[in-house]
Amino acid sequence: MKTLYDGKTKTVLLDEENNVTHLLFKDSATGENGVFDPGSNSVGGSVEGKGKTGLAVSKYFFELMEKNGIPTHYLGCDLDKGLMVVRNLTVPKLEFVLRYFTAGSMCRRFDLEPGIVFDPPYSEVTLKSDAQGDPLITERLCIMKGMLKEGQFDEALGILVKVGEVLKKELAAMNLTLIDFKIEVGYDESGKMYVADEITPDIWRVKDENGNIPNQIDCAKMILDKLR
C-alpha cells in the first residue's frame, strides 16, 4: 500500500488497486523526557502492543458513536494487523478541542490552576502544526486557508459537543471523569462531515476515582480490560 501520511502514532495508507484507505496504528506514544502525555507534540517512546490496543479501543468508541447517530469514518478493522479501514475523506489539519476542566496547555497559556470546572464546556479549534505549536485558529482563517467551507466550522463544533456527551457518559460508567479531549473531522465530496482519526486515550485526559490522571498507555490498557 502507498503511504499517504506518516504521523506520530498512525500512518495513513492507500490501497491503490481498490481505492481503500487504511490507518495503521503504531506502537509509538506522545510525550517528553520519558513521560507519556496525550497533549504532547513529540514522540516520547514506544510501547509494544500499544497500536493494537489503541485500535481495539478506537473500534469500540467509533461503533458507539455510530449507535448514537454520530457519523464516523470507521468502516472496519483488522485487529491482528493493526489496520483500520476508513472512508476516503478530506481531513483538514485542525483539531477540535472540548474542555470540561482546565488542564495542560490551557493552564500554561492562560496561567490557570488545573481542575477549574468549565460550565458549559469550553471549545477551541487549533491548527494541527507541530512547528507552530498548534496555534488557535478562527473560522474566518479556516475559510481563508481553504480548510473548511462556510458553515462547516460550526457544524464540526456541534459534532464535537455530541461526541463529548457520549464519551463523557461512557467513561463515567467506567469510573473515569473526562477532563478534555480533541477530535479531527473530515468531509466527503458532498460536504457531509464525519469524526475522523481515532477515539482513544491518545486524544483525551481523564481522572480516576482517586483523582489521578493515568497516561494514555495505562488508560488504554485499563479500558480494554473493562471491554473484555
Side-chain angles (χ1 to χ4, degrees):
M1 287 190 281
K2 179 182 178 181
T3 298
L4 298 180
Y5 174 75
D6 189 28
K8 291 186 287 292
T9 60
K10 293 178 300 300
T11 300
V12 183
L13 302 167
L14 175 65
D15 178 347
E16 295 182 283
E17 182 177 347
N18 299 301
N19 194 32
V20 176
T21 304
H22 297 77
L23 293 186
L24 173 65
F25 282 63
K26 301 192 290 187
D27 286 344
S28 55
T30 55
E32 293 180 15
N33 302 318
V35 178
F36 295 121
D37 178 4
S40 175
N41 286 335
S42 59
V43 173
S46 179
V47 178
E48 185 177 356
K50 175 187 177 292
K52 292 180 180 179
T53 298
L55 176 56
V57 172
S58 205
K59 172 182 183 294
Y60 175 80
F61 282 102
F62 272 133
E63 291 176 350
L64 181 64
M65 295 301 155
E66 293 280 358
K67 289 176 184 176
N68 282 273
I70 301 171
T72 78
H73 74 163
Y74 175 82
L75 294 175
C77 69
D78 186 328
L79 291 173
D80 290 333
K81 294 181 179 179
L83 288 171
M84 178 186 290
V85 183
V86 299
R87 300 178 190 275
N88 294 327
L89 301 175
T90 297
V91 183
K93 290 190 175 183
L94 299 169
E95 291 181 330
F96 296 83
V97 183
L98 195 64
R99 300 180 183 275
Y100 296 96
F101 301 87
T102 54
S105 63
M106 166 66 70
C107 297
R108 294 191 296 272
R109 282 186 281 127
F110 300 112
D111 193 22
L112 294 168
E113 292 294 323
I116 301 172
V117 177
F118 282 118
D119 187 16
Y122 186 89
S123 61
E124 296 179 316
V125 183
T126 64
L127 181 66
K128 192 176 179 182
S129 170
D130 293 342
Q132 295 171 276
D134 294 344
L136 295 173
I137 192 168
T138 63
E139 176 183 21
R140 184 175 177 183
L141 288 175
C142 288
I143 295 172
M144 284 177 62
K145 290 172 67 65
M147 305 178 84
L148 294 174
K149 300 172 185 176
E150 290 281 354
Q152 288 186 324
F153 190 92
D154 286 340
E155 185 177 353
L157 288 176
I159 292 172
L160 175 70
V161 171
K162 291 178 181 178
V163 170
E165 290 170 352
V166 175
L167 189 58
K168 185 178 181 182
K169 181 179 178 181
E170 189 68 12
L171 291 172
M174 300 178 184
N175 298 316
L176 297 169
T177 301
L178 184 58
I179 296 173
D180 57 23
F181 73 99
K182 60 186 177 184
I183 60 170
E184 293 184 36
V185 176
Y187 51 89
D188 62 18
E189 293 181 354
S190 70
K192 181 176 179 179
M193 304 192 82
Y194 301 81
V195 181
D197 196 41
E198 65 179 306
I199 304 179
T200 71
D202 277 10
I203 64 128
W204 72 55
R205 287 189 187 89
V206 295
K207 58 182 176 181
D208 62 21
E209 294 173 289
N210 299 316
N212 299 314
I213 300 177
N215 64 44
Q216 64 267 48
I217 308 300
D218 295 336
C219 189
K221 291 178 181 177
M222 182 192 319
I223 288 176
L224 192 57
D225 287 342
K226 292 178 182 292
L227 296 180
R228 284 173 175 161

